[in-house]
């Protein structure tokens, strides 16, 4: 299901999950909407999807139409990409954007990170007294 998002509901939608995906389209752009719908259907178990058809809201969010925003509660908080008809490219972007840059590597996360097929940096912090310090240091290098 794809939610219809308005200026009044955007903040609530952003806060509904750790990661949400919002497509921004002109109301008459059926081709972009169809590509986004295909993406949403293929990844509906992973993220909530919403659609905005309001130019003023897109401008307020600094999104070029047609475009997609990935809102998240970690890292930089928001990523953008231009909508393309290539579902594989878009789903790969979402999988990467939807994962924190620094995370405790737990057994239940193993498959998610290995299947991304991107270069990962692994650092083993066996003592929790310094792990937060190291996490902050690594995140500062990303900024």
């Amino acid at each position: 299901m794809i939610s219809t998002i308005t200026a009044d509901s955007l903040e609530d939608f952003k806060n509904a999950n750790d990661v949400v995906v919002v497509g921004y389209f002109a109301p008459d752009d059926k081709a972009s909407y169809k590509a986004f719908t295909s993406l949403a259907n293929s990844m509906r178990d992973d993220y909530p999807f919403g659609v905005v058809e309001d130019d003023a809201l897109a401008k307020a969010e600094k999104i070029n139409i047609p475009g997609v925003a990935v809102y998240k509660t970690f890292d930089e908080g928001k990523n953008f990409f231009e909508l393309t008809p290539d579902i594989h490219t878009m789903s790969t972007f979402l999988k990467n954007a939807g994962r924190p840059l620094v995370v405790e590597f737990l057994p239940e996360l193993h498959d998610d990170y290995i299947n991304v097929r991107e270069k990962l940096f692994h650092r083993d912090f066996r003592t929790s007294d310094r792990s937060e310090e190291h996490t902050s240091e690594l995140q500062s290098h990303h900024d």
Side-chain angles (χ1 to χ4, degrees), residues 56-72:
L57 184 53
K59 286 179 185 173
E61 290 294 310
K62 299 178 181 157
I63 304 284
N64 294 326
I65 294 179
V68 177
V70 180
Y71 297 101
K72 51 194 179 176

Side-chain angles (χ1 to χ4, degrees), residues 3-141:
S3 301
T4 301
I5 308 298
T6 64
D8 293 332
S9 65
L10 180 61
E11 286 305 314
D12 288 338
F13 188 76
K14 287 184 197 180
N15 296 321
N17 203 33
D18 286 343
V19 178
V20 298
V21 182
V22 178
Y24 290 82
F25 312 102
D28 59 345
D29 187 351
K30 304 299 182 209
S32 294
Y33 184 82
K34 183 177 179 181
F36 185 76
T37 301
S38 295
L39 175 67
N41 287 336
S42 72
M43 300 186 78
R44 69 174 164 245
D45 294 335
D46 301 318
Y47 311 108
F49 284 81
V51 171
V52 170
E53 294 181 340
D54 179 346
D55 288 339
L57 184 53
K59 286 179 185 173
E61 290 294 310
K62 299 178 181 157
I63 304 284
N64 294 326
I65 294 179
V68 177
V70 180
Y71 297 101
K72 51 194 179 176
T73 60
F74 48 86
D75 297 338
E76 63 274 35
K78 179 168 51 172
N79 293 109
F80 312 102
F81 66 97
E82 290 186 28
L83 191 63
T84 84
D86 184 352
I87 299 299
H88 177 72
T89 299
M90 289 191 299
S91 65
T92 299
F93 177 86
L94 283 180
K95 287 177 187 175
N96 287 325
R99 288 184 176 81
L101 293 173
V102 178
V103 65
E104 184 176 355
F105 195 74
L106 302 171
E108 58 268 21
L109 298 175
H110 177 268
D111 288 344
D112 286 343
Y113 280 88
I114 298 305
N115 290 335
V116 171
R117 298 179 192 244
E118 295 289 327
K119 293 179 183 176
L120 298 174
F121 174 78
H122 173 75
R123 172 77 174 145
D124 188 6
F125 301 113
R126 297 286 175 168
T127 59
S128 62
D129 60 330
R130 300 221 32 228
S131 65
E132 286 191 31
E133 175 188 333
H134 293 296
T135 297
S136 295
E137 182 181 336
L138 288 171
Q139 286 178 326
S140 70
H141 289 290

